[in-house]
Amino acid sequence: MLVAYILVATCITILLGFPIAGALGLIAGVIMIATSGTDLLLIFIQRTYAATTSFPLLAIPFFILAGNLMNVGGTTERIFEVAKLLVGRVRGGLAYVNVIGSMIFAGMSGSAVADAAGLGVIEIRAMVKEGYKAKFAATISAVSATIGPIIPPSIPFVIYGSLANVSVGALFLAGIIPGLLMGIGLMIAIGLQAKKLNLPVSQGVKFGSEAWNTVLKAIPALALPPAILIAIFSGVVTPTEAAVLATAYAFVLGQFVYRELTWQALIDTVWESGRQTAQVLFIISMSAPFGWVLIQQQVPNQILQALMKLSADPIMILLIINLVLLFLGMFLETIAIMIITYPILAPVIGAIGIDPIHFGVIMVVNMMIGLVTPPVGLCLFVVSGIAKVPIAEIVSELAPYLFAMVVVLGLVTYIPGFSMWLPQLFGFGLIK
């Protein structure tokens, strides 16, 4: 019964408008006092402090800053132009460009919101200019942005790695193939819609020397994703150090190569990145005592027993977990869901033999779908503001793309090789 009280109280508190971090901390503090008096508040303080002192978490502010610097420094526009060269000539070409641009940018920022807010501005403006409906352009920009945290680097993978105590590098490798599958799935959905919606054929595709010049200008930006991955997986740098290098590289590109990063823009970007980092770390710090309370009250064990009573079949248990995560994604913020549910689900996945790296990919794909499901899909709000289109109109276009994303989630869930092949190839120790 206590399990239900904790989970219901948490959801209600968040839905009533409490900040997510405040809701987690409040529930944890109240339960500690109610069960053991004020003595446990010392543990509250200790857990809060310890949660933010993990070295891998240093990657978060730097990946956030790197993504923001690329958005204001001209990098995103070069990425879009190169993607346009690749597929801009076919019917619905700019919709494909939108997805491919997001797949490239995913290897730089690790943030779906950074993708939607940065590339989204360029993509939506270009698509509307070519004759696409604003609501369609906004929809494609929102769903393609979800690829960002699946293809490495990835802020959610950094957070999950800290929660699950697994290698962030292994998680990065595990996300590559699922991220590519997500892009392919969205492009198949676009292709099926292209004739039905009579999507435009791009008239602004460059040819010859002009196209070559576009590629040359983009090479410094395109070099960053492979450089990050090679540096990490060759052992030269850790993911955290790679985030620092990505930030420095983004600054050099914007300031000295593309010369679009002004000093005032730099100051504003650093300030905004600091604000975003504080939000994320505050949630993480408050989640630590909340997670301790869940374990102390044996909530994970009770959840495990309840699921095992429903079914002992791993296939059914994974289906139930996916349905729960997709439902929570409709109402709660990504990081909050991950932090709230992982301590509960960790013994469940252990009991049915799911590798924590594989489950990390399942969880992140679920969270990304949540970013484009109403009523609280953050990417929907971002692109709605950019395109000046009501969210209801964007939601009306979502169905085929959400279906494609759910199909990819099913493939990733039930075919572990999509997630596990690359980590195994690089020799990461995995459970049998």
Side-chain angles (χ1 to χ4, degrees):
M1 186 62 70
L2 181 60
V3 176
Y5 285 146
I6 292 175
L7 297 180
V8 170
T10 303
C11 292
I12 290 176
T13 306
I14 293 173
L15 292 174
L16 285 176
F18 272 72
I20 293 168
L24 296 177
L26 176 63
I27 298 296
V30 168
I31 293 174
M32 284 180 173
I33 293 172
T35 56
S36 303
T38 57
D39 294 343
L40 289 182
L41 291 183
L42 180 60
I43 292 178
F44 186 102
I45 297 170
Q46 291 172 340
R47 294 283 172 170
T48 299
Y49 172 75
T52 56
T53 57
S54 171
F55 179 72
L57 292 182
L58 280 175
I60 293 174
F62 288 105
F63 277 133
I64 289 174
L65 180 56
N68 289 337
L69 286 174
M70 290 171 198
N71 286 336
V72 299
T75 302
T76 53
E77 189 166 351
R78 270 72 182 187
I79 293 170
F80 180 79
E81 289 299 321
V82 168
K84 191 173 178 181
L85 288 176
L86 294 174
V87 291
R89 298 175 179 84
V90 300
R91 181 167 298 281
L94 284 190
Y96 295 109
V97 169
N98 196 318
V99 175
I100 291 177
S102 292
M103 292 170 73
I104 297 172
F105 191 67
M108 303 181 189
S109 74
S111 168
V113 175
D115 189 336
L119 268 177
V121 173
I122 300 167
E123 292 165 342
I124 292 172
R125 182 176 63 233
M127 291 177 74
V128 171
K129 186 178 178 180
E130 288 280 356
Y132 292 81
K133 293 181 179 179
K135 64 179 182 179
F136 178 83
T139 300
I140 299 301
S141 296
V143 296
S144 70
T146 63
I147 301 171
I150 303 173
I151 294 178
S154 165
I155 292 172
F157 278 146
V158 172
I159 295 171
Y160 178 87
S162 177
L163 288 172
N165 195 29
V166 297
S167 167
V168 174
L171 289 168
F172 281 5
L173 281 169
I176 293 175
I177 294 176
L180 295 176
L181 285 175
M182 186 73 83
I184 292 169
L186 290 175
M187 286 192 284
I188 290 173
I190 291 168
L192 295 174
Q193 292 287 96
K195 287 187 177 181
K196 177 182 176 182
L197 300 178
N198 194 29
L199 297 179
V201 177
S202 178
Q203 302 300 315
V205 181
K206 299 173 182 178
F207 296 91
S209 60
E210 190 178 7
W212 181 243
N213 288 334
T214 297
V215 173
L216 288 177
K217 290 178 181 178
I219 285 176
L222 297 174
L224 181 56
I228 290 176
L229 297 180
I230 290 171
I232 292 174
F233 300 126
S234 64
V236 175
V237 298
T238 66
T240 301
E241 292 164 344
V244 177
L245 293 176
T247 302
Y249 191 79
F251 170 76
V252 170
L253 282 182
Q255 183 69 31
F256 302 108
V257 179
Y258 299 135
R259 299 180 182 274
E260 294 185 19
L261 179 62
T262 65
W263 290 109
Q264 184 58 52
L266 176 62
I267 293 171
D268 293 341
T269 301
V270 170
W271 175 264
E272 176 61 19
S273 299
R275 186 188 65 79
Q276 294 171 1
T277 300
Q279 288 179 328
V280 172
L281 292 182
F282 188 30
I283 294 172
I284 292 173
S285 68
M286 288 295 101
S287 72
F290 183 85
W292 185 89
V293 165
L294 292 178
I295 294 171
Q296 194 259 349
Q297 296 297 324
Q298 298 186 345
V299 172
N301 293 337
Q302 294 177 50
I303 297 290
L304 174 59
Q305 291 170 10
L307 282 176
M308 290 303 183
K309 286 181 181 178
L310 288 174
S311 174
D313 185 355
I315 294 176
M316 288 304 300
I317 291 176
L318 285 172
L319 176 61
I320 294 169
I321 289 173
N322 278 331
L323 291 174
V324 170
L325 292 176
L326 288 173
F327 176 76
L328 291 176
M330 296 173 65
F331 301 99
L332 301 178
E333 193 268 348
T334 296
I335 296 172
I337 298 171
M338 189 178 296
I339 289 170
I340 291 170
T341 59
Y342 181 75
I344 297 172
L345 296 176
V348 178
I349 65 169
I352 61 176
I354 303 300
D355 192 282
I357 294 173
H358 178 206
F359 186 70
V361 177
I362 294 172
M363 180 168 270
V364 169
V365 173
N366 267 292
M367 299 303 94
M368 294 307 101
I369 295 174
L371 287 175
V372 290
T373 50
V376 191
L378 186 55
C379 283
L380 298 180
F381 286 92
V382 172
V383 299
S384 173
I386 294 170
K388 296 180 174 54
V389 174
I391 287 180
E393 293 189 16
I394 298 174
V395 171
S396 69
E397 299 275 336
L398 274 175
Y401 313 105
L402 279 179
F403 178 78
M405 296 168 80
V406 171
V407 169
V408 172
L409 172 62
L411 292 174
V412 170
T413 299
Y414 294 114
I415 306 178
F418 286 133
S419 302
M420 306 305 288
W421 179 67
L422 282 176
Q424 289 174 331
L425 187 65
F426 278 76
F428 285 93
L430 306 172
I431 68 170
K432 302 297 182 182

